[in-house]
Structures are given as C-alpha cells and as structure tokens.
Amino acid sequence: MIPCVRGSVGKPVRLKGTAYDFDSAISAIQFSLDEGAHWTEYPTANTTDYQNVTWAFDFTPPQTGRYRMKVRAVNDRGEASPEAAYVELEID
C-alpha cells in the first residue's frame, strides 16, 4: 500500500511509484477507481526486462471524500500484476 494522500477538489494530486517484473518488460501501468471493475491503461514505451519503470499519474479529484485507487503493472506478455497496489486519497 502507498501511504494515504491528502488533496483538494479540482487540484491535481501526483501519485508516483515503481514497477518491475522479473524476466519481462513492463508494457503499461493501469489505474482503477472502482475496485478493479474497470482499468485505465497508460503504455510505457521502450522498456526492457531488466529495468524498473518509474511512473507518475496526476489525478484531479472531482469532489470531496475518500478515494481508493488501485495500481498495477502489465508485462509484455499481457499479464497483469497478481495483486494490485493501492493508495487511499482523502480529498477536502
């Protein structure tokens, strides 16, 4: 789990992390705000099977409340991380 992040409505919150998949290149990072029912995918270009992928995602919260965003990596074989990481956001 990534520590809880605080933010304000209408102001971008930057989330960052690192992904690595032994023996496979990371081809995308995926994000979900609905417990994994739907994923938004952002491709990662020019990765190799021996490098970490550092990612950053800006999320602009539309309203106050608590959000839980799941994050997972997808490798070049199309396999998603077996367990997604998540971050909780507290928005004022």
Side-chain angles (χ1 to χ4, degrees):
M1 181 178 101
I2 303 166
C4 185
V5 174
R6 299 203 180 278
S8 299
V9 171
K11 295 185 179 177
V13 176
R14 173 146 289 195
L15 305 168
K16 300 185 285 184
T18 302
Y20 184 79
D21 187 342
F22 297 97
D23 297 324
S24 296
I26 300 295
S27 62
I29 303 295
Q30 296 179 333
F31 302 92
S32 175
L33 282 167
D34 59 9
E35 291 300 313
H38 301 93
W39 294 92
T40 300
E41 183 169 293
Y42 292 91
T44 55
N46 304 319
T47 62
T48 64
D49 62 353
Y50 57 84
Q51 77 184 111
N52 292 341
V53 173
T54 301
W55 56 266
F57 179 75
D58 289 327
F59 171 65
T60 303
Q63 59 189 36
T64 61
R66 193 168 190 91
Y67 293 82
R68 180 175 153 128
M69 182 177 290
K70 288 190 169 194
V71 181
R72 68 183 183 185
V74 177
N75 67 25
D76 56 358
R77 293 188 305 262
E79 301 166 332
S81 302
E83 188 171 328
Y86 68 89
V87 61
E88 291 184 345
L89 300 101
E90 188 68 41
I91 305 303
D92 298 326

